[in-house]
Amino acid sequence: MGSAADYLEDPLFGHTRYRKIKDLNEGTFGIVLLALDVRTNEQVAIKFLERGAGVNKSVLREILNHRLCVVHPNIVQFREVFLTPVHLAIVMEYAAGGDMFEYVIKHKLPHHGQGLVEPSARAFFQQLIIALEFCHELGIANRDIKLENTLLDATQPQPNVKICDFGYSKNEFVDSRPKTVSGTPDYIAPEVLMADQYDGKKADIWSCGVMLYVMVTGVLPFAKRGDDRGNNLIRLQQMFPRIVAAEFQQPLHVSPECQHLLTRMLTPDPALRITIGEIMQHSWFLCNLPPHMQHLNYTLVQTLVPVGLQSVEEIETIVHQATRPSAWPNWPPTTASGTR
Ligand code: AMP
């Protein structure tokens, strides 16, 4: 085992299977590295959560829900979890193409209020909905669907979507019914803000409606110039009346079918909102749907999980061990410059 400074420099210090390539990002809950799996010569993304009290039930839920979706090609594949002296590490497939937010900014049409061309937006949307239906069939509501959590597998003109974050997910067969406000203000469904309890799956459909809106317009439906950007609570207060009234500007440059679908997804009453099954029968969704995707989820349900996938019990044991603090009680150590 190395010193605390070694692990500060490289969370994978001394690991025999994974070697750090570079930092990818800092998420809400920890750092993410790009690493090489020396056993397979494949690149993987590894998320590191500091050991200790922060590793709670929600972390276990995130990992187990992510693991359940392991066979879906439009969901970042869960590989395994392991412990280091400092972290709980979650190994995933690496999505090399960045996130959808960056993609939309880079590829949107130059006119204000116009986003991706409609066939491109539709191709992404089809994959997103099919991946989400798979989660919903397994009882999992994601509760944080947004462009930034939707990664892409490559930088080519029409890459594949990979849903990546299960940090707020809930499984209806295991967890209690959602009560807390979770998600990002711009994507939050009205009932999440207003009801004592809500159906996380219906709230996901609203968030996908917001995503579709951004894909075809390049702007957020309920945001206005002058809204707060730094404080989520203030931003939510400013947007609240617009969200509950579904007050958004209909994008007139897109087809009437696309406008219809947007209106049906951004319907404030969850009981009247379009269901995921109805979305998959909608004429806009069905247009140019690749034949293999039509029955993809049905086929995948019968697909065997990868050989050697860690069992639920193994994961529970590792996560439980991670609730104990790191090898160094005063982690993170201060460096010579006094900073992390
Ligand atoms: P998360 O904590 O899951 O929200 O991840 C934080 C950020 O790390 C994401 O916004 C991505 O930029 C990056 N990231 C997470 N997982 C992956 C992955 N599997 N492949 C590539 N980048 C990732």
Side-chain angles (χ1 to χ4, degrees), residues 201-222:
K201 295 177 177 178
K202 292 188 180 196
D204 279 347
I205 290 177
W206 174 280
S207 306
C208 288
V210 175
M211 264 190 79
L212 176 57
Y213 189 94
V214 182
M215 283 194 256
V216 294
T217 65
V219 292
L220 287 155
F222 305 111

Side-chain angles (χ1 to χ4, degrees), residues 136-140 170-175 201:
H136 286 186
E137 280 298 303
L138 295 173
I140 301 166
K170 279 216 171 196
N171 188 326
E172 68 189 7
F173 300 126
V174 184
D175 305 314
K201 295 177 177 178

Side-chain angles (χ1 to χ4, degrees), residues 50 53 82 150 171 201 298 309 328:
E50 263 174 42
F82 66 86
T150 309
N171 188 326
K201 295 177 177 178
Y298 178 74
L309 184 71
W328 296 281

Side-chain angles (χ1 to χ4, degrees), residues 24-25 27 32 45 47 76 92-95 148-149 151 164-165:
L24 277 179
N25 211 331
V32 185
K47 187 162 158 178
V76 159
M92 302 166 268
E93 164 189 13
Y94 171 50
E148 294 85 337
N149 282 344
L151 303 183
C164 93
D165 197 339

